[in-house]
Amino acid sequence: MCVDYTSLNKACPKVPFPLPRIDQIVDSTAGCETLSFLDVYSGYHQIKMKESDQLVTSFITPFGMYCYVTMPFGLRNAGATYQRCMLHVFGKHTGSTVEAYVDDTVVKSKRRGDLIQDLEIAFSCLRTNQIKLNPEKCVFGVPRGMLLGYIVSQRSIEANPEKDSDITRVGPIRDIKGVQRVTDAWRL
């Protein structure tokens, strides 16, 4: 289901909460023997909204009027709110054993022997905050994997070959439309 929150977003001031720098998150995984990639199950919908804010998300269906009690997609500050939530969930472990960029989370273990302890820390943080994972999309204890569009491993950071081929297929850039095609190909 999709609700158009254009008017609501125009009325809401943008929250000046910065997202982490992707290059720093990717660089911080270099040198880790094992990585675990976590996928939060319907992440935005696990963040409860203040009761006073629920009414502004109201929408009408043929069956009546409803509102969200958890954060829906499409709100102006949803990304910043989700990022702030993940920083709260992982607290002091952010940067050392866990990195989170909105809904992309990686548990990084410097040594293979630290994997269980590092996962216990991450799971404890998630359990305390009642955040549920999607086990079908989680990957545990791998030497390399995809993180924020890059392939990361203990030895290197590589560009995603699929993205490389998308960009090379775009052809020569001759105008502003060409630049837009390249940025669109990279985002896909």
Side-chain angles (χ1 to χ4, degrees), residues 117-173:
Q117 179 183 358
D118 293 340
L119 285 173
E120 284 176 346
I121 289 168
F123 289 158
S124 173
C125 292
L126 292 165
R127 191 176 308 110
T128 300
N129 292 279
Q130 299 176 349
I131 302 292
K132 293 167 183 52
L133 297 177
N134 182 354
E136 292 177 7
K137 292 186 177 181
C138 293
V139 179
F140 301 102
V142 294
R144 63 183 284 164
M146 184 72 67
L147 177 65
L148 301 170
Y150 296 90
I151 298 172
V152 293
S153 68
Q154 180 183 12
R155 298 175 59 207
S156 67
I157 299 167
E158 305 165 27
N160 181 349
E162 291 176 19
K163 299 292 182 186
D164 288 347
S165 64
D166 288 347
I167 290 173
T168 54
R169 264 186 279 146
V170 169
I173 299 171

Side-chain angles (χ1 to χ4, degrees), residues 4-184:
D4 183 6
Y5 288 120
T6 304
S7 297
L8 176 61
N9 287 336
K10 284 180 184 177
C12 290
K14 187 158 176 59
V15 173
F17 190 83
L19 293 175
R21 289 184 39 190
I22 291 174
D23 61 323
Q24 289 177 339
I25 289 176
V26 171
D27 287 347
S28 77
T29 62
C32 295
E33 284 186 15
T34 58
L35 302 167
S36 298
F37 299 92
L38 309 180
D39 183 76
V40 176
Y41 183 78
S42 297
Y44 281 27
H45 297 302
Q46 290 191 47
I47 299 175
K48 295 193 181 353
M49 293 185 61
K50 288 193 320 189
E51 203 169 318
S52 59
D53 291 340
Q54 292 175 8
L55 190 58
V56 299
T57 67
S58 298
F59 56 94
I60 298 171
T61 73
F63 311 105
M65 187 169 158
Y66 297 91
C67 67
Y68 279 94
V69 294
T70 59
M71 188 171 64
F73 287 95
L75 294 180
R76 170 181 239 163
N77 295 310
T81 301
Y82 192 85
Q83 183 66 40
R84 187 181 305 118
C85 176
M86 289 297 103
L87 289 176
H88 170 76
V89 166
F90 294 114
K92 66 182 181 182
H93 305 292
T94 300
S96 58
T97 56
V98 179
E99 296 289 354
Y101 185 92
V102 191
D103 62 345
D104 285 322
T105 304
V106 62
V107 178
K108 49 191 189 170
S109 302
K110 294 278 185 203
R111 294 185 312 270
R112 192 175 315 279
D114 297 338
L115 174 65
I116 300 300
Q117 179 183 358
D118 293 340
L119 285 173
E120 284 176 346
I121 289 168
F123 289 158
S124 173
C125 292
L126 292 165
R127 191 176 308 110
T128 300
N129 292 279
Q130 299 176 349
I131 302 292
K132 293 167 183 52
L133 297 177
N134 182 354
E136 292 177 7
K137 292 186 177 181
C138 293
V139 179
F140 301 102
V142 294
R144 63 183 284 164
M146 184 72 67
L147 177 65
L148 301 170
Y150 296 90
I151 298 172
V152 293
S153 68
Q154 180 183 12
R155 298 175 59 207
S156 67
I157 299 167
E158 305 165 27
N160 181 349
E162 291 176 19
K163 299 292 182 186
D164 288 347
S165 64
D166 288 347
I167 290 173
T168 54
R169 264 186 279 146
V170 169
I173 299 171
R174 295 192 174 94
D175 54 14
I176 215 94
K177 285 285 188 198
V179 172
Q180 290 170 340
R181 279 194 306 274
V182 169
T183 56
D184 288 345

